[in-house]
């Protein structure tokens, strides 16, 4: 095979292969490339200006896409240029976006692989260190982010994610219309959300926000009041049902654990059962739950109350929603379920924001989906030390899903 054939196989625009080395034992291929004679365009990597003056020539070796079974590296001849503004600089080359020893298309391939597998799995497949793969993935995502246009922000979701006893909470702000997380902040104070409004949005951008889906959490309400006073606060189903689930769990613990005895064993590990909606349970699970209910009527009542609260969001008219909620609150009387009484008061205190669901059209399930995606990434990556990296991952995940939906619609 001639060098010109290798040039065509490699396919680096403007470069030709002039030497190569094949190691059949180690299964490696090494190609030496330099500019084609017609390729005279030199660009300063500092300022992007076109230049003629060459300072000197040097070589760099980068890993490129594999060629069949051969792990491939390319040794490229590069120029240092003399720029009137930047002094002596390296020329800019499309295939070499960073100083790291990888070609752009190799980094893209790894970044794409990291979208559907953990960094650890990708590292094993490409025989690289996990830290190297994560660094490549981060650069891949940064390049993607730099190129894309930021969608307008009209409706925001605010959620908090619990990371455990040490790191505790962080706050997630998302764009409800695109389903994409926008910003992460530590803790969940008023100051946390203040920081988002102050640092991330201009006054004009803040004025454009018309609705916010948040938890019934006073510090967030205060921050929204201060920064986006005209925005409608919607206490969404996802957060309210989280409170209802907590109330059920409190009943479970009060009824079984504090009493001890043989009943304790029956209810142990059944928390998830009680938190799952009836429609999502298998026959065997329903039977298990019924056994539990036969032993304790209070727990059954709590479960049914949670199930019926879920239907609140089937109403599209404010009046109907309010009537349903009033009937639900009436049922709480005489039940002697303190955790549900507490929930009842919480709902009454936040009534206006609950009814806002009927007054403002906000997409449901988005806050929950964003929350679920981040938790999935955290599980798969076994934690992220770099929060900016986690945010980019979650954004890319949301964006690729949208693209997928659009593609399917077009097909
Ligand atoms: Zn320059």
């Amino acid at each position: 095979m001639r060098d010109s054939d290798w040039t065509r196989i490699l396919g680096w625009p403007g470069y030709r292969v002039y030497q190569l080395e094949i190691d059949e034992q180690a299964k490696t291929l090494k190609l030496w490339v330099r500019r084609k004679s017609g390729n005279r365009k030199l660009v300063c990597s500092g300022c992007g200006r076109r230049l003629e003056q060459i300072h000197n020539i040097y070589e760099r070796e980068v890993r490129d896409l594999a060629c069949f079974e051969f792990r491939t590296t390319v040794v490229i001849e590069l120029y240092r240029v003399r720029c009137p503004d930047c002094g002596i600089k390296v020329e800019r080359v499309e295939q070499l976006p960073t100083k790291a020893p990888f070609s752009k298309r190799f980094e893209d391939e790894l970044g794409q692989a990291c979208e559907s597998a953990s960094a650890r799995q990708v590292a094993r497949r490409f025989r690289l260190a996990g830290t190297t793969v994560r660094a490549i993935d981060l650069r891949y995502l940064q390049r993607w982010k730099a190129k894309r246009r930021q969608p307008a922000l009209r409706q925001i979701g605010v959620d908090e994610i619990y990371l455990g006893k040490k790191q505790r909470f962080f706050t997630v702000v998302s764009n409800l219309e695109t389903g994409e997380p926008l910003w992460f902040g530590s803790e969940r104070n008023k100051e946390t959300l203040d920081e988002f409004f102050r640092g991330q949005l201009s006054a004009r951008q803040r004025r454009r926000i018309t609705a916010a889906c948040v938890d019934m959490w006073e510090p967030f309400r205060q921050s929204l009041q201060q920064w986006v006073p005209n925005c409608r606060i919607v206490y969404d189903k996802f957060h309210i049902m989280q409170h209802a689930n907590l109330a059920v769990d409190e009943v479970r613990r009060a009824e079984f654990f504090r009493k001890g005895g043989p009943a304790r064993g029956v209810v142990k590990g059944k928390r998830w059962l009680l938190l799952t909606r009836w429609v999502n349970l298998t026959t065997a699970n329903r039977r298990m739950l019924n056994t539990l209910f036969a032993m304790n009527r209070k727990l059954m009542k709590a479960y049914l109350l949670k199930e019926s609260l879920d239907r609140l969001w089937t109403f599209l008219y404010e009046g109907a929603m309010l009537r349903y909620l009033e009937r639900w609150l009436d049922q709480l009387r005489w039940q002697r379920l303190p955790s549900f009484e507490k929930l009842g008061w919480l709902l009454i205190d936040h009534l206006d924001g609950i009814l806002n669901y009927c007054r403002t059209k906000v997409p449901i399930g988005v806050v929950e989906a964003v929350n679920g995606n981040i938790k999935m990434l955290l599980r798969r990556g076994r934690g992220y030390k770099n929060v900016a990296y986690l945010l980019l991952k979650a954004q890319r995940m949301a964006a690729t899903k949208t693209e997928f939906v659009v593609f399917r619609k077009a097909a």
Side-chain angles (χ1 to χ4, degrees), residues 43-51 81-87 89:
V43 176
C44 168
S45 63
C47 62
R49 138 198 324 242
R50 283 185 72 153
L51 293 162
V81 291
R82 203 184 306 250
C83 172
D85 292 332
C86 318
K89 273 274 169 188

Side-chain angles (χ1 to χ4, degrees), residues 130-388:
T131 48
T132 309
V133 170
R134 275 187 284 273
I136 290 175
D137 189 25
L138 178 58
R139 289 197 291 271
Y140 165 75
L141 292 167
Q142 283 165 338
R143 283 198 291 272
W144 164 73
K145 172 108 190 216
K147 265 199 307 200
R148 76 191 285 249
R149 212 170 57 94
Q150 197 77 338
L153 182 62
R154 286 174 296 237
Q155 300 184 334
I156 65 169
V158 183
D159 190 20
E160 65 269 358
I161 288 185
Y162 184 67
L163 288 176
K165 281 192 184 124
K166 220 173 180 185
Q167 286 168 289
R168 297 184 46 78
F169 289 96
F170 73 91
T171 298
V172 181
V173 179
S174 52
N175 183 334
L176 284 185
E177 287 169 299
T178 60
E180 146 184 9
L182 298 173
W183 183 82
F184 290 165
S186 58
E187 294 300 321
R188 49 163 187 167
N189 314 316
K190 177 175 178 294
E191 292 73 35
T192 313
L193 203 51
D194 287 348
E195 197 190 320
F196 168 74
F197 285 124
R198 193 186 304 117
Q200 303 292 312
L201 303 179
S202 65
R204 206 169 135 214
Q205 283 173 311
R206 287 197 297 269
R207 273 197 301 275
R208 284 209 194 116
I209 297 174
T210 56
C213 273
V214 289
D215 193 5
M216 299 173 286
W217 178 245
E218 190 55 18
F220 287 166
R221 195 197 61 77
Q222 285 171 356
S223 180
L224 287 162
Q225 180 91 60
Q226 182 189 332
W227 293 94
V228 280
N230 296 322
C231 145
R232 220 167 222 179
I233 295 177
V234 182
Y235 296 118
D236 60 305
K237 176 177 174 177
F238 170 61
H239 284 118
I240 294 173
M241 291 312 292
Q242 272 183 343
H243 287 277
N245 276 327
L246 282 176
V248 173
D249 202 45
E250 232 175 282
V251 175
R252 178 187 73 110
R253 273 180 290 157
E255 289 301 301
F256 287 89
F257 282 80
R258 281 166 209 163
K259 284 177 182 166
R264 203 183 156 130
V266 181
V267 81
K268 208 170 161 103
K270 301 280 164 32
R271 186 173 164 268
W272 64 273
L273 255 187
L274 288 159
L275 304 190
T276 309
R277 291 189 53 207
W278 188 258
V279 288
N280 297 332
L281 288 171
T282 62
T283 318
N285 285 333
R286 284 180 185 176
R287 206 171 294 140
M288 236 195 283
L289 213 50
N290 278 327
T291 318
L292 214 59
F293 293 156
M295 291 168 67
N296 190 297
R297 290 201 53 81
K298 267 195 179 174
L299 195 58
M300 177 167 95
K301 195 67 216 174
Y303 185 83
L304 292 176
L305 280 168
K306 182 202 71 160
E307 283 281 290
S308 60
L309 184 62
D310 197 280
R311 280 201 292 279
L312 188 61
W313 290 271
T314 56
F315 297 97
L316 297 174
Y317 298 100
E318 198 180 320
M321 195 184 196
L322 181 60
R323 271 195 301 282
Y324 185 83
L325 186 61
E326 279 167 350
R327 276 208 309 277
W328 188 85
L329 290 166
D330 280 343
Q331 287 177 59
L332 297 181
R333 272 183 234 172
W334 324 119
Q335 298 293 345
R336 280 175 291 147
L337 293 170
S339 64
F340 272 86
E341 273 158 39
K342 213 171 75 195
L343 175 64
W345 284 114
L346 190 68
L347 298 181
I348 292 165
D349 283 344
H350 295 85
L351 189 60
D352 206 43
I354 295 170
L355 296 177
N356 270 346
Y357 171 75
C358 296
R359 300 168 187 152
T360 306
K361 279 287 148 267
V362 287
I364 48 164
V366 175
V367 179
E368 189 174 5
V370 170
N371 182 300
N373 283 349
I374 293 167
K375 281 191 176 151
M376 198 269 273
L377 284 169
L378 284 169
R379 259 198 314 277
R380 203 167 69 180
R382 307 212 180 143
Y384 277 78
K385 285 192 198 95
N386 183 347
V387 180

Side-chain angles (χ1 to χ4, degrees), residues 42-140:
L42 290 172
V43 176
C44 168
S45 63
C47 62
R49 138 198 324 242
R50 283 185 72 153
L51 293 162
E52 309 277 329
Q53 280 261 10
I54 296 163
H55 177 68
N56 68 348
I57 301 173
Y58 70 107
E59 280 185 337
R60 241 182 91 184
E61 185 172 342
V62 294
R63 183 158 168 194
D64 201 7
L65 300 178
C67 182
F68 305 111
E69 291 181 312
F70 289 77
R71 185 180 158 144
T72 305
T73 52
V74 177
V75 180
I76 177 172
E77 206 176 80
L78 288 167
Y79 292 60
R80 281 199 188 86
V81 291
R82 203 184 306 250
C83 172
D85 292 332
C86 318
I88 291 163
K89 273 274 169 188
V90 179
E91 63 163 327
R92 183 189 291 168
V93 178
E94 202 54 39
Q95 274 303 328
L96 308 174
T98 62
K99 291 196 170 109
F102 308 104
S103 69
K104 179 173 178 292
R105 61 184 187 186
F106 180 76
E107 293 207 340
D108 288 349
E109 187 189 31
L110 242 75
Q112 275 156 27
C114 285
E115 277 166 14
S116 50
S118 73
R120 188 190 318 254
Q121 288 167 305
V122 175
R124 211 176 301 138
R125 201 174 108 203
F126 288 88
R127 282 187 283 156
L128 285 167
T131 48
T132 309
V133 170
R134 275 187 284 273
I136 290 175
D137 189 25
L138 178 58
R139 289 197 291 271
Y140 165 75

